[in-house]
Structures are given as structure tokens and as C-alpha cells.
Amino acid sequence: MLPKLSTLLLTSLLLIAFEKTYAQKTREPFSGNILYGKVARVIQIEYMSKKPSDTMVMDTALYDRNGILLERRTGARLGKEIVHYIYKYTTKFDDNGHKVETVFYSQGDKGVLKYDLSGNMIEFDNFLSNGNLSYKYLYKYNDRNNRTEYSIYDKKDSLNAQWLYRYNKNDNLIEEYKDKGLKYESKILYQYQSFDEIGNWTRRSRDGKFKIGYPIGEMITERQFVYY
């Protein structure tokens, strides 16, 4: 009996360790993507499928052990140049440990993120360096905490644009539809090519077209993960 008890104990300890390491589930605040496991860093690049050597976006996000975003380092291509930005985030919690608000600064502007009790970002307010509100972004979610709607309002509280989202059974985004606002309405479809051993997707493609028929062009996103 002793060997069996030892085996059961060892199995239990391994399961507990697995739960602590991999069972954590958080979301990227801006994209809404699920992050499985104790993610320390996400390194992401985006490029057009027809020009794989021409990187459009480079992004590195740093998280603490509880899945709270600490910092983002982003490089975006503007013409022939790549412009770099660094964002550092400070998050406040209520007495029960729920996220309440995150504040960050960039190029003199201030961003304030607000959350619901499930930890979903429901509002993002962007303030100019003079303190005036520039834009307000509002988000809605379903009962699985998947983002279903994203709306942009200007400083006069007028709706500028609105996006709707649809997901597969694994809670991965598969369709994005710009429903209102701006000049061109569009529909974008997402497909997933690979995942790591934890379950986080590592390669995704998106393609679509504007409502008037012009293609958007296929974009590839690749991600690498570093875990605690």
C-alpha cells in the first residue's frame, strides 16, 4: 500500500503544480485575446502575407504573475520608418482584489482603463496632454466574457464607429464586423494555424474586405510566449 500512496501523493502534487502554473486565464485588455498560463511576456509581430519580410507591427507585453499588464513596447511602421512607443501601466484594485482602474501615459496623453467585476475592460478613456477627453471607447461582453461589441465616441459623445465580434467554441475570435461609423464598413475573418503546448495561439491570419468590395489584404500575426 505504501508505494501506491506515494504514487497518489506524487500525482496530486503534480496536478496542484500544473493548476498553479497553467490554469491561470487572463485577457489582453486591448485585443481581448485570452492568455492561458502564467504568462510573463508576449512577443508579437504582424506583417502582410504578400510581404512577410515587411513587418508592420512589433509588440512586446510584460505581465506580472497574476496576469496584470505592466508594460508594452510597440513599434509601428509609418511609411518607411518604424516608430517606437513605450507604455507603462499602473493598476488599482478594490478591497476584494478586483481590478478597478489602470492608468498609462504616452506622448503626453493619458489613458484610463476601467473594468467590470470579471476583470473585463469595459471603458478606455483617452485624454490629451491638456486634460481634455479625446475619445471614449466602450466594450460589451457575453456570458463567456468574450468581447462582443466595441464602440468609439468622440469628445461630444457622438458615436464614431462600432465593431461586432463572433467566436468559435474555443473562445477564439473568428469574425469582426465594423457595423457603423467611418467611411468604409468592413468584415474581417480570422483563422488559426498553430498553438503552443499551453493552448495560446502562436500564428493567426486575418483577411476580409470593405463593404463596397475592396479587399483589405491578408495579415499574419505571430506570437511567442515566455512563462513564469
Side-chain angles (χ1 to χ4, degrees):
M1 289 295 290
L2 288 177
K4 291 184 178 180
L5 287 174
S6 298
T7 301
L8 289 174
L9 179 59
L10 178 60
T11 301
S12 299
L13 291 174
L14 288 173
L15 287 174
I16 291 172
F18 178 87
E19 287 292 326
K20 288 183 177 180
T21 305
Y22 301 116
Q24 183 168 288
K25 178 180 175 181
T26 57
R27 287 185 182 272
E28 296 176 324
F30 293 99
S31 69
N33 290 317
I34 296 175
L35 296 178
Y36 296 103
K38 287 188 174 296
V39 175
R41 181 181 299 132
V42 183
I43 303 167
Q44 177 173 303
I45 62 170
E46 293 187 359
Y47 55 88
M48 300 297 293
S49 62
K50 293 183 178 180
K51 293 184 177 181
S53 62
D54 193 6
T55 301
M56 302 297 290
V57 177
M58 299 175 292
D59 186 277
T60 299
L62 308 178
Y63 294 84
D64 69 10
R65 289 181 175 274
N66 296 313
I68 303 301
L69 180 62
L70 300 175
E71 183 177 316
R72 282 182 62 216
R73 305 166 187 169
T74 300
R77 182 176 295 279
L78 296 176
K80 294 182 178 181
E81 297 184 359
I82 295 180
V83 181
H84 296 274
Y85 302 94
I86 296 178
Y87 309 89
K88 293 189 176 182
Y89 301 84
T90 302
T91 300
K92 296 179 181 179
F93 302 83
D94 63 18
D95 293 338
N96 296 316
H98 297 123
K99 286 189 297 184
V100 176
E101 180 181 274
T102 297
V103 177
F104 70 94
Y105 295 88
S106 175
Q107 308 298 310
D109 292 355
K110 175 182 178 182
V112 179
L113 317 181
K114 300 177 182 179
Y115 305 90
D116 62 17
L117 290 177
S118 297
N120 299 313
M121 184 176 71
I122 56 174
E123 184 174 333
F124 165 33
D125 297 332
N126 185 65
F127 297 91
L128 300 175
S129 57
N130 60 11
N132 293 332
L133 179 68
S134 175
Y135 286 97
K136 176 186 292 186
Y137 307 81
L138 299 180
Y139 307 84
K140 293 182 179 180
Y141 299 82
N142 60 18
D143 57 1
R144 294 179 62 86
N145 293 315
N146 292 321
R147 183 176 297 167
T148 57
E149 186 177 303
Y150 163 40
S151 304
I152 303 177
Y153 293 84
D154 61 22
K155 61 183 178 181
K156 296 182 180 180
D157 209 29
S158 298
L159 179 65
N160 277 22
Q162 184 178 75
W163 284 261
L164 304 177
Y165 302 94
R166 192 164 65 88
Y167 299 81
N168 61 18
K169 63 180 181 180
N170 295 320
D171 298 316
N172 290 314
L173 177 64
I174 57 173
E175 184 177 313
E176 174 184 324
Y177 179 62
K178 189 166 68 176
D179 186 45
K180 298 177 181 177
L182 301 180
K183 186 176 181 180
Y184 299 112
E185 295 182 6
S186 61
K187 182 177 181 180
I188 300 176
L189 301 179
Y190 294 81
Q191 293 184 326
Y192 298 84
Q193 288 79 42
S194 61
F195 296 79
D196 68 8
E197 67 278 6
I198 306 301
N200 290 307
W201 61 265
T202 55
R203 191 178 192 275
R204 181 179 75 177
S205 61
R206 71 176 188 263
D207 200 356
K209 65 179 182 179
F210 295 108
K211 188 175 181 180
I212 56 177
Y214 295 121
I216 294 175
E218 185 181 43
M219 180 76 78
I220 305 297
T221 303
E222 296 182 355
R223 303 193 299 179
Q224 295 180 352
F225 293 84
V226 177
Y227 298 92
Y228 284 106

